[in-house]
Each structure stands twice: as C-alpha cells, then as structure tokens.
Amino acid sequence: MEKVKEFTLLDFEDVRLFVNGEWVTAASNSYFTLTNPSTGEVVTKIPRGGKVEAKDAIEAASQAFQSWSKLSAYERAEYLLKLRDLMFEHEEELAAIMSTEMGKAFTEARGEVKYAASFLTWYAEEARRIYGETIPASVPNKRLTVIKQPVGVIAAITPWNFPLAMMTRKLGPALAAGCTGVVKPASQSPLSALAFAKLVEKAGIPNGVVNIVAGATREISDEIFENPIVKKISFTGSTEVGKTLVEKSAPQLKKLALELGGHAPFIVFEDADLEKAAEGALASKFRNAGQTCVCANRIYVHENVREEFTNILVDKVKSLKVGNSIDETTQIGPLVNKEGVKKVEEHVSDAVAKGAVVLHGGKALGEEGCFYEPTVLGNVTKDMLIMNEETFGPVAPITTFHSEEEVIKEANDTIYGLAAYLYTSNISRAVRVSESLNFGVIGLNDGLPGTAQAPFGGMNQSGYGREGGHQGIRDYLEEKFISLSL
Ligand code: SIN
C-alpha cells in the first residue's frame, strides 16, 4: 500500500472486529486472509467472527438502542455529520484501503468515499424530516395521529463491490431513524468497514450503536436471522442469496430489503447523440471494472448507427488504462478474484463460440492478479450467456435492433429489473420508452444515475425496497397510529 504515506486508522498487524465499542478478536481464535487482487499478495489476516460475535453485537446494539433512539433527530444528525467530516478527513486512506482489498481503481475509490459520505449528509438532513400525520376524525371527540418510530436493531449485509457506499446507504438512514445495528461486510472487503468503525469511534458515537462483525458468513447471517432482537435486515448481493434470505426471514417475518443482481439493457436509438451515448456506455459498463449491479450488460444499438457507435466506443475502450488499482493513473483495476475472471472468460468464450466478434480485448491479463482486458464484442445474439446473465466484468456486448417496440420487448425479457439506460434526442420517445422499461432505475441519456437523494432499487428478481432518497428511511421506521378519545 504505497499510495498513502501513513496509515492511522488500522493496524494491519492486528486487525480486529468492532463490537460494543471494543476491538475484539474472534472467540474461535481463527482468522481468514485477505489477498490483494492486483498483486496476489496477502494483505493481512482478519479474525473470523461467528455466532458468538454476532450475538454479542446484536445484544450491544439492543442495549444502545435504548438511549440512541431517545436522542433528538437533531442530535443524531450531528453525529452523522461528524462521521461524514471524518470520512472526508481520511478520504485518501479509506480509498487506499478499499483499492487494496478489493481492487477498485484508486481514483474511483476516492469517488466512492465521497459517494458514501453523501448518504450521511442526506440522512442527517432526512432525520429532521421524519414527519408524522394528523388525520381528521369522523366524530368530534377523537383525535387521530400517526407517529413514526425506529424499528429497533437492524443488520446490514454489505457487498464487496461498493464496500463503503453500500454500508452508508444502509447505516445512514438506520442511524438517522434512531436504529442501531450490526454490519456484516463481505469477506473480500472487511477492512473498509473496520476503518469506518474507527471513524465511528472517533465521532464519539456511543458504544453498541454500530458494530462490525466480519467472518463466517453463514454463521453470522444465521444469528442475524434467528435472533428475535433483529427487526430489519438490508442485503445487497446476488439474487440467488437473496432468495435464501427471504426464506430465512419468514419464521419471524423480519423486514427485509433486497438489492440484488441486475442485467441492464443499454439502448442507443438512431436519433441519439452518439458521442454522448458512447461516453455513457463507457461510464456505465467499465465503472469498477464492470463489477456493479447497474452496469450496462447488453448494449442494443439501432442498426443504422451500429457502425458509427461501435467505432466511437471501441476507440474509447482502447484508451482505458489497466493496472494495479493503487496507481492513480489506473482506470481499470483487477477483478475481485480469480472466480470473477473465470466467469468473464466463460461469457466471452461462449459468445465467440456462438459467433460473436472480438472488437477489442478478449482475454485475461498476466499471471499475477485478476486482470481482464476491457473488451468489446460485436455480432452478439440473444442465445449467448452474456445476453442472459450478469457478467460482472469489463465486457461490452453489442447487438442491434430495428424498432422501438422490438427493443423494449428485448430489454424487458429478463428476470432482472434493476437499471436500464436509453439514449435518444426525441423527447416523446424518451418519455414513452422510460415508462415502458420494467426497471427500478432509468438512466435517460445518463450513464451514472445513482445519487444519494434518489431512490435506488429493483423490480422483479432484482429485489425489493428502496435505498437512498426520502424513500430510503421508510423501512427503518414503524408507523404507529394513536387514536385519542377526549
Ligand atoms: C451497485 O451497483 O450495487 C450500486 C451502484 C450505485 O449505487 O450506483
């Protein structure tokens, strides 16, 4: 980790979990190792937390809930803003940690720190706007009101592709609402969460309000789902795992928010600004080396502009710099691990076997690390794996269409429904197509629609619930109706 001269947040010789304001090792005395996907070198070892730590964390959160939920929204907002300021103060270090553990290009990692902090700012403000309701009664001697109260202890199960932003997108509204909780970070990116916990400590947030337990995924999540103290769980990850969590949540009817997989169509109409569309495709497809749930996964270009659009995109992709993620000039870092590279290889070889043409890239790079060349495929057809599954890698498959009706039908022909993109300069078409696409987020002439103040979430098998925006705090609140008879 050459990037940052001095690390002040974590001691890499002795990484610990954060439970009830204490830095603890695992009761099992076991560890797991973290490998840098740029170099294949071991970064450090992390205590493998399990049932014991998860239970302790839940109980600590329950204890802390008694006082945290009683603070005024203004006091909780102050804590969130202090935490936000600390994130800015430690931006370089947080970015370097993230980049080293999961391979995000350093400049992008820096952007993610800002993105993550923006959820704290937004929810500090939303905390002050948790309004209730007064309802006119049907008789003169009654007064009807609805108040909102925090649901209690929550758990956030967070992914490795946005280790900080997906955590604050869950914790920001939870803490603002008055909830306390436990974070289970992905095993590929626990250090970002633990470094964040150091900031929680520095911000003076009371013990037990935020707990971070990394380690044995199954054991920790079993405790989260079985322990009756936990009232709500927010999960970001695969659709496959999301389905098992729905079953696990059933016995206690726990509230569940699921932000799952995607398979985003990216549609370029013949009336689009092609330069802007190619820029948007580049941003959407190659952000985080193609490892986002909202990445363009299938690019539909009108037959009449296929050649022109493809040439512009290929030129842009050729100029992307691949390299060690910690290098500030790198634009495409490694994939998170070898399995990630294998999946991309499978998608590309399946496409080529079925007639796709490699217009640029098309292979894994080097022995060390987990690199895959930024790739563009032409002549892609519907029967290819890449047109049916999430790739999670830097491959842009291009196919063509002839009519608006046809492309809407193709775009909607998926089990997923997270994000979709369209590029057009025709205002009527823009409205018509946006309204016809069955996806939770639409990028209309916009390759990067995600932002703290807007709701983010999926339809269909991309999950349910919304994060971000004023909507994102709803699930952390119960509505209580009070009927007063005078
Ligand atoms: C994701 O891909 O899971 C999140 C992307 C975003 O927030 O923009």
Side-chain angles (χ1 to χ4, degrees), residues 217-281:
T217 305
R218 185 63 192 261
E219 258 189 59
I220 296 168
S221 79
D222 281 354
E223 180 62 27
I224 285 172
F225 280 88
E226 284 163 19
N227 194 321
I229 293 173
V230 178
K231 301 298 178 209
K232 176 195 156 105
I233 298 125
S234 178
F235 169 72
T236 298
S238 73
T239 295
E240 199 190 342
V241 174
K243 287 180 187 175
T244 68
L245 299 188
V246 172
E247 282 174 26
K248 284 182 172 208
S249 69
Q252 293 176 22
L253 294 180
K254 288 188 197 283
K255 283 174 184 283
L256 192 58
L258 298 172
E259 201 263 87
L260 307 177
H263 185 42
F266 188 102
I267 307 170
V268 183
F269 286 98
E270 60 182 324
D271 53 33
D273 173 337
L274 296 185
E275 175 60 39
K276 190 171 173 188
E279 203 49 58

Side-chain angles (χ1 to χ4, degrees), residues 115 161-162 166 169 259 287 292-294 450 456:
Y115 186 37
N161 63 339
F162 288 90
M166 297 304 103
R169 191 150 83 180
E259 201 263 87
R287 176 179 177 217
T292 79
C293 306
V294 290
F456 181 99

Side-chain angles (χ1 to χ4, degrees), residues 352-430:
V352 171
K354 291 175 180 159
V357 178
V358 178
L359 301 170
H360 182 70
K363 56 180 190 316
L365 286 169
E367 292 297 303
E368 306 301 328
C370 303
F371 295 94
Y372 197 92
E373 283 181 301
T375 296
V376 184
L377 300 178
N379 278 5
V380 169
T381 48
K382 208 183 161 176
D383 56 325
M384 299 172 181
L385 266 182
I386 202 161
M387 292 301 276
N388 295 283
E389 286 178 15
E390 196 173 28
T391 309
F392 246 58
V395 184
I398 300 180
T399 190
T400 54
F401 68 92
H402 299 92
S403 72
E404 190 179 301
E405 299 70 41
E406 176 202 353
V407 78
I408 291 171
K409 190 162 170 289
E410 288 298 324
N412 284 337
D413 186 16
T414 172
I415 60 162
Y416 297 106
L418 187 55
Y421 305 84
L422 68 140
Y423 278 73
T424 177
S425 53
N426 177 324
I427 184 80
S428 303
R429 167 173 279 154

Side-chain angles (χ1 to χ4, degrees), residues 289-306:
Q291 302 170 110
T292 79
C293 306
V294 290
C295 273
N297 216 64
R298 19 184 197 134
I299 303 180
Y300 296 92
V301 185
H302 192 277
E303 181 55 47
N304 294 348
V305 292
R306 177 188 53 84

Side-chain angles (χ1 to χ4, degrees), residues 74-112:
Y74 285 78
E75 288 168 306
R76 289 197 297 266
E78 283 311 312
Y79 278 117
L80 288 182
L81 294 175
K82 177 97 183 52
L83 192 51
R84 183 269 321 262
D85 291 345
L86 285 163
M87 288 189 81
F88 285 138
E89 215 175 282
H90 293 271
E91 182 178 312
E92 295 284 297
E93 185 170 353
L94 291 170
I97 289 171
M98 186 192 308
S99 179
T100 305
E101 65 177 346
M102 52 64 72
K104 184 163 295 198
F106 182 78
T107 46
E108 252 194 88
R110 215 189 245 148
E112 183 178 335

Side-chain angles (χ1 to χ4, degrees), residues 36 57 66 97 162 208 221 235 237 250 289 309 325 452 471:
N36 179 338
Q66 304 311 320
I97 289 171
F162 288 90
S221 79
F235 169 72
F309 172 83
S325 58
Q471 294 87 343

